[in-house]
Amino acid sequence: MAMRTFRLWRGARGQGEFREYTTDAGEGMVVLDAVHAIQASDAPDLACRWNCKAGKCGSCSAEINGSPRLMCMTRLDQLPADQPVTVEPLRAFPHVKDLVTDVSWNFEVKKRIKEFTPRPPDAPDGTWRMQQDDIDRVQEFRKCIECFLCQDVCHVLRDHHKHDEFIGPRFLVYAAALEMHPLDSADRVPALKEQFGIGYCNITKCCTKVCPEHITITDNAIIPLKERVVDRFYDPISRLLRVFKG
Amino acid sequence: MSQYPVLQHDVLVIGAGGAGLRAAIEASAQGATVGVITKSLLGKAHTVMAEGGMAAALANVDDRDNWRVHFADTMRGGQYLNNWRMAELHAKEAPDRVRELEAWGAVFDRTKDGRILQRNFGGHRYPRLAHVGDRTGLELIRTLQDHGVHRGLDVHMEHTVVSLLTDGGRIAGAVAYDRERGRFNVFQAKAVVLATGGLGRAYKITSNSWEYTGDGYALAYEAGAALQDLEFIQFHPTGMVWPPSVRGILVTEGVRGEGGVLLNKEGRRFMFDDIPENYRNQTAKDADEGWRYTQGDKTANRPPELLTRDHVARCINREVKAGRGSPHGGVFLDIAWIKTKLPNGADHIRRKLPSMYHQFMQLANLDITETPMEVGPTTHYTMGGVQVDGDTQMSTVPGLFAAGEAAAGLHGANRLGGNSLSDLIVFGKRAGEHAALFARANGAAHLDDRQIESAVHHALAPFDRGTSGENPYAVQHDLQDMMQDLVGIVRQESEMREALERLSALRARAERAGVGGNREYNNGWHTAIDLHNLLTVSEAITRCALERRESRGAHFREDYPEKSAEFASFNHVIRKDADGRMTLSRGPIPQMPAELQQVIEENK
């Protein structure tokens, strides 16, 4: 097996440095395998999150060679073999230790979004009827594994630290899934404008590029939500119509 | 007074997968204050990995389905060692629990007339699994997570329980450490629900994540509760086998439900070679009938690929042992062939099995719409667990409840695919409800400082030994290799006796395990703490498996390859005796009511 060099970020609470490790790189290995091998032999106290190792839980997010990715889905044979592989923690959230960051802000944001509120059931037995065609677009958003890579790469959070004013792509996708849910009857459009800062997104599509679930975050979720905000608050014809309709 | 912070909840739920979240939601709905402890972040539990669906006799796709058929299927799959009361409640209540998820925002795939779609799965007579493509578990956990946070659950993320606390025999709470800071917290609770999942990390080849170290079983055992039937470990027939680094990662049974077939290296569809007698009437006679079944033909019987998991795993094992396996030690699972049957077959595969398509593309560089997958058995699920009352889910320790994979009973000797997700919501709800009732009827229990001190002292011991002690990762790897080799898919007495000897040597090494660094987010320290639980459950598995001198369900003995009537009437019960030793006894299965017996007869 070929030896490969890894530069892993070590340190706690914002302090730290890259440290170099070498380990065997066998066939089909992903970055997470290498991190585990290093942990087992050279760095037992290395902090790193992971759960499923199959791209389904979104725990092992990190920046690999400078790009936000899942460690379990990044094969070593896709990275340049003649250079060390760098692995560092996400930058949009406070650093805890080594590769782990404090992502609790995301869990607080979700609580602020009005919950799913279904219309009354369609059938006497208390159930609803929905067509597959009508749920396809919501199902795309519900594929989200909450890896927060989109949050990490979003310049509003990453560079401008607008965490108080902007909920980020993950929660715009979440809001879109609720707003476009065929059964939902709540209205989140005013909150998107006033509290969730949808206006901050200037559609650079960085979030869409890093999504490991290939959710078309910008085109399918954020832009339609922006259109709803515009229709409601800025479009003079819609406003006029609303006046007449009462 | 404890020197550690004391947090108080009426009901403390340990584990935040499907069962834990459903229990927490229910306890909260009953008016209890609820705390949830999870080893990882919220929403990352192993439930996200469940792909195929949740079994519930909604009869949306085939109106011949009802709770009676589901009950009979579950009992037959479990070889009649099931807790029949749990099997009955599960079959009756699963449809309501699934509809409830829809009311909380879950978006299931639909039938043409707009109802919840259901798919075929192994051991289920009719299409029964409500599903969302092949990411049903994610849909389940996200729905419960989002519904739960809006109900005001108090979630303690990245906390690990190191010991349960008792007061004169009843539950009093738990001691946990906060992973980020490495500090200890005491949780005082009137009732505790264990929803800690399984123990797959005791084995080398497993679909389970790092968390599945048998915590709930070991915590309950140490607190004096009885465990049951730990010999029944399910090896899912289809894990990935190539490349080596992905070995064990699950390939959903949904692939076979959608028409995927198993082939050996000669291209022979070997599952037709051995069809068990009690399934013969319900199994397709040829490939054409099997295909028609997967496409919804109600006059057709299921293909042999959809027989129970224990049987399929053993057939694969047989092919590999006979030298008819694939190049990397498995067999071939082919879904690409359905293109000869369906126009737009490749699109159909990508739409019905999106995660599988993605997983093989990314990890194995293989397009499943073109090329067969290589698959083999992987440690997947624990049918045994904490012994509970069928109606309330209370263990033999008053106030201590268990639900989901942590509890034993529903699945008997072998679990049907799809019965796990429905188990979580049916018995998660029941556990939460009865925990809240128990909390209301019983005041707060007294916390014993000596228990707390002892738990903390034990948890911190690896630091005293420092880096000159045994490497905890090395001990864990050796344990996994040993269990895989000696107490794996095929078992025999001499190997299991050797396993017991090796377990005591491993225990001695675990007691010398040391770690360096500090207490903050220290993965090595966590691994050292996990060893105790892994060793306890490994010993329980081995003792039960050694005692069961027959082959039944997921338990296969090379030295006793047949089923034995002697072993059909009791469960194995594990307890800690007064001297701290593990003891095994036989717990008779209560007589099944005539009404349920008749249900089984009419569905034979």
Side-chain angles (χ1 to χ4, degrees):
Chain A
M1 273 190 285
M3 297 295 280
R4 299 253 326 225
T5 306
F6 292 82
R7 302 178 71 224
L8 308 185
W9 188 260
R10 299 298 313 266
R13 310 205 183 267
Q15 305 293 309
E17 63 195 355
F18 281 113
R19 255 184 255 165
E20 231 170 68
Y21 301 90
T22 50
T23 191
D24 280 331
E27 184 161 5
M29 261 174 80
V30 294
V31 171
L32 186 61
D33 293 317
V35 168
H36 283 162
I38 291 164
Q39 213 174 31
S41 54
D42 301 331
D45 64 337
L46 173 73
C48 145
R49 277 193 188 108
W50 73 281
N51 288 82
C52 77
K53 204 179 173 285
K56 295 195 174 81
C57 76
S59 296
C60 64
S61 306
E63 299 196 0
I64 298 166
N65 287 357
S67 304
R69 303 183 72 162
L70 296 178
M71 288 191 263
C72 74
M73 282 286 144
T74 307
R75 289 211 319 260
L76 292 181
D77 61 16
Q78 294 166 332
L79 303 172
D82 53 348
Q83 297 162 26
V85 178
T86 63
V87 189
E88 51 194 313
L90 301 184
R91 277 214 224 149
F93 309 112
H95 186 224
V96 173
K97 185 182 156 189
D98 301 338
L99 304 180
V100 171
T101 55
D102 176 2
V103 293
S104 57
W105 171 77
N106 293 284
F107 292 90
E108 294 307 314
V109 170
K110 192 184 262 183
K111 292 181 191 168
R112 291 164 47 208
I113 298 171
K114 210 182 279 178
E115 68 178 311
F116 174 68
T117 314
R119 68 172 186 238
D122 301 332
D125 65 356
T127 60
W128 289 271
R129 299 290 176 269
M130 292 187 273
Q131 290 305 310
Q132 189 65 42
D133 284 349
D134 297 328
I135 61 170
D136 279 345
R137 64 177 181 168
V138 178
Q139 286 190 331
E140 180 192 3
F141 305 144
R142 294 186 65 91
K143 287 193 302 185
C144 172
I145 56 174
E146 299 198 331
C147 62
F148 306 132
L149 291 177
C150 59
Q151 305 287 73
D152 183 53
V153 82
C154 174
H155 61 100
V156 184
L157 300 173
R158 185 188 182 90
D159 302 322
H160 303 294
H161 308 289
K162 298 280 186 195
H163 294 71
D164 291 339
E165 298 159 64
F166 183 59
I167 59 175
R170 158 58 190 144
F171 295 101
L172 292 174
V173 166
Y174 180 70
L178 290 164
E179 282 291 300
M180 298 180 198
H181 194 305
L183 305 186
D184 183 74
S185 58
D187 178 12
R188 298 165 193 84
V189 174
L192 284 165
K193 174 176 176 281
E194 303 297 338
Q195 296 149 43
F196 302 152
I198 193 169
Y200 276 111
C201 168
N202 57 4
I203 320 195
T204 55
K205 304 198 182 187
C206 308
C207 51
T208 303
K209 283 187 203 110
V210 299
C211 178
E213 283 292 312
H214 308 293
I215 301 171
T216 321
I217 300 174
T218 326
D219 290 355
N220 288 358
I222 300 181
I223 291 176
L225 288 182
K226 275 177 171 280
E227 285 169 352
R228 289 180 188 209
V229 170
V230 168
D231 282 352
R232 180 83 61 90
F233 294 100
Y234 302 105
D235 178 9
I237 297 172
S238 308
R239 286 174 78 172
L240 205 61
L241 278 174
R242 267 202 305 279
V243 170
F244 287 123
K245 282 183 185 163
Chain B
M1 240 341 252
S2 161
Q3 58 165 310
Y4 306 98
V6 179
L7 293 93
Q8 286 170 331
H9 303 288
D10 292 335
V11 174
L12 179 69
V13 178
I14 305 173
L21 289 172
R22 188 64 190 82
I25 288 168
E26 194 62 23
S28 171
Q30 299 284 334
T33 61
V34 181
V36 180
I37 292 184
T38 155
K39 268 166 99 171
S40 289
L41 297 173
L42 186 57
K44 309 298 183 190
H46 205 55
T47 307
V48 300
M49 291 289 285
E51 294 158 342
M54 53 193 92
L58 295 159
N60 287 356
V61 169
D62 193 321
D63 57 14
R64 291 172 295 178
D65 203 18
N66 56 53
W67 79 263
R68 300 164 80 87
V69 189
H70 192 183
F71 169 78
D73 285 352
T74 301
M75 293 298 294
R76 177 172 36 218
Q79 305 273 334
Y80 305 101
L81 289 185
N82 321 54
N83 177 327
W84 46 259
R85 176 61 178 158
M86 284 172 76
E88 177 191 8
L89 290 169
H90 171 254
K92 284 179 172 168
E93 294 178 2
D96 278 346
R97 295 287 82 75
V98 170
R99 287 191 277 261
E100 185 173 70
L101 288 173
E102 183 152 286
W104 294 348
V107 187
F108 293 101
D109 288 354
R110 317 307 294 182
T111 62
K112 286 210 165 56
D113 65 350
R115 295 184 295 165
I116 294 172
L117 181 62
Q118 301 185 268
R119 72 157 41 123
N120 293 311
F121 235 56
H124 293 279
R125 188 158 187 177
Y126 303 120
R128 187 176 285 147
L129 268 61
H131 64 279
V132 187
D134 54 7
R135 53 165 191 84
T136 315
L138 176 67
E139 189 73 14
L140 171 69
I141 199 165
R142 199 67 82 228
T143 302
L144 294 175
Q145 173 188 341
D146 295 351
H147 187 73
V149 296
H150 282 109
R151 305 272 85 67
L153 304 179
D154 211 343
V155 182
H156 308 278
M157 289 198 272
E158 299 198 311
H159 276 58
T160 298
V161 172
V162 294
S163 182
L164 295 177
L165 300 170
T166 52
D167 173 16
R170 70 164 276 202
I171 202 75
V175 181
Y177 94 89
D178 154 15
R179 200 167 184 207
E180 183 177 327
R181 296 215 158 72
R183 294 178 191 157
F184 291 88
N185 287 313
V186 174
F187 291 85
Q188 187 171 30
K190 296 167 189 165
V192 171
V193 179
L194 293 170
T196 44
L199 52 69
R201 299 299 288 180
Y203 289 85
K204 181 177 166 188
I205 299 172
T206 177
S207 64
N208 288 190
S209 87
W210 70 273
E211 302 183 283
Y212 290 73
T213 47
D215 297 9
Y217 314 131
L219 289 169
Y221 169 81
E222 297 292 347
L227 307 182
Q228 179 181 311
D229 293 347
L230 266 304
E231 68 271 40
F232 296 119
I233 305 290
Q234 181 167 83
F235 297 91
H236 192 293
T238 60
M240 292 176 80
V241 299
W242 188 257
S245 59
V246 299
R247 211 175 164 120
I249 295 178
L250 212 61
V251 179
T252 175
E253 194 168 313
V255 175
R256 285 169 281 147
E258 298 296 341
V261 296
L262 290 165
L263 306 171
N264 64 18
K265 78 169 182 195
E266 295 149 9
R268 181 179 169 75
R269 197 169 162 189
F270 58 86
M271 285 305 300
F272 274 109
D273 298 350
D274 175 15
I275 293 163
E277 201 46 53
N278 58 341
Y279 282 97
R280 196 170 293 281
N281 290 338
Q282 294 173 21
T283 306
K285 274 158 204 66
D286 53 36
D288 178 62
E289 186 181 355
W291 167 250
R292 284 189 286 114
Y293 175 90
T294 64
Q295 300 310 297
D297 181 344
K298 292 181 181 174
T299 64
N301 284 312
R302 63 177 156 232
E305 277 82 4
L306 291 179
L307 286 162
T308 54
R309 289 176 172 179
D310 58 319
H311 180 74
V312 179
R314 271 195 302 280
C315 288
I316 292 175
N317 212 47
R318 178 195 70 211
E319 292 303 304
V320 174
K321 271 199 160 171
R324 297 189 292 267
S326 68
H328 303 106
V331 295
F332 296 104
L333 171 59
D334 187 9
I335 183 78
W337 82 279
I338 72 171
K339 289 191 296 184
T340 63
K341 295 277 190 183
L342 292 177
N344 304 322
D347 285 342
H348 179 82
I349 295 165
R350 277 190 291 265
R351 188 161 49 80
K352 295 306 261 183
L353 302 160
S355 312
M356 284 305 105
Y357 175 77
H358 186 199
Q359 181 173 314
F360 273 87
M361 209 46 152
Q362 195 137 358
L363 292 175
N365 216 3
L366 183 149
D367 181 349
I368 65 168
T369 69
E370 296 290 337
T371 314
M373 300 157 249
E374 276 189 75
V375 297
T378 177
T379 314
H380 183 54
Y381 189 87
T382 313
M383 269 72 70
V386 178
Q387 191 180 55
V388 292
D389 172 72
D391 287 83
T392 65
Q393 298 286 288
M394 191 158 85
S395 73
T396 54
V397 171
L400 179 63
F401 298 76
E405 197 175 351
L410 171 60
H411 311 293
N414 180 42
R415 174 175 70 82
L416 301 186
N419 268 0
S420 173
L421 291 188
S422 43
D423 174 8
L424 305 184
I425 47 180
V426 168
F427 293 105
K429 177 188 183 285
R430 281 186 164 266
E433 181 182 344
H434 289 279
L437 291 174
F438 185 93
R440 198 181 303 160
N442 295 273
H446 171 71
L447 294 177
D448 177 355
D449 277 341
R450 278 171 315 173
Q451 288 180 36
I452 297 167
E453 282 308 326
S454 154
V456 172
H457 174 77
H458 239 86
L460 288 176
F463 284 110
D464 300 338
R465 296 184 285 265
T467 48
S468 59
E470 284 267 3
N471 178 342
Y473 295 97
V475 181
Q476 194 190 38
H477 290 169
D478 290 349
L479 172 68
Q480 290 166 337
D481 281 344
M482 190 280 285
M483 288 299 285
Q484 189 79 35
D485 291 346
L486 301 181
V487 200
I489 303 176
V490 175
R491 299 160 174 176
Q492 54 175 304
E493 175 157 347
S494 57
E495 291 183 344
M496 288 190 285
R497 295 222 174 273
E498 189 189 334
L500 284 178
E501 278 172 35
R502 294 240 224 132
L503 276 170
S504 49
L506 283 161
R507 195 175 286 281
R509 281 177 65 194
E511 278 163 16
R512 293 194 301 269
V515 293
N518 60 36
R519 281 156 59 169
E520 294 188 358
Y521 220 109
N522 187 328
N523 285 24
W525 180 31
H526 209 302
T527 303
I529 291 176
D530 287 342
L531 288 175
H532 175 77
N533 295 343
L534 277 172
L535 284 158
T536 302
V537 296
S538 295
E539 183 180 343
I541 296 167
T542 310
R543 289 196 184 282
C544 290
L546 193 55
E547 198 59 26
R548 184 170 287 282
R549 289 180 300 280
E550 65 158 352
S551 295
R552 181 186 296 270
H555 170 75
F556 187 81
R557 288 281 299 255
E558 201 160 30
D559 42 0
Y560 299 94
E562 301 302 322
K563 231 182 296 193
S564 143
E566 183 200 348
F567 288 91
S569 59
F570 59 85
N571 299 113
H572 279 149
V573 180
I574 290 272
R575 281 176 192 272
K576 189 172 185 171
D577 73 8
D579 302 326
R581 278 181 313 225
M582 191 176 280
T583 63
L584 181 96
S585 59
R586 294 179 170 190
I589 296 172
Q591 178 72 35
M592 196 186 301
E595 202 261 345
L596 291 179
Q597 252 167 16
Q598 198 197 324
V599 172
I600 287 172
E601 285 306 317
E602 74 196 29
N603 283 291
K604 275 211 162 133

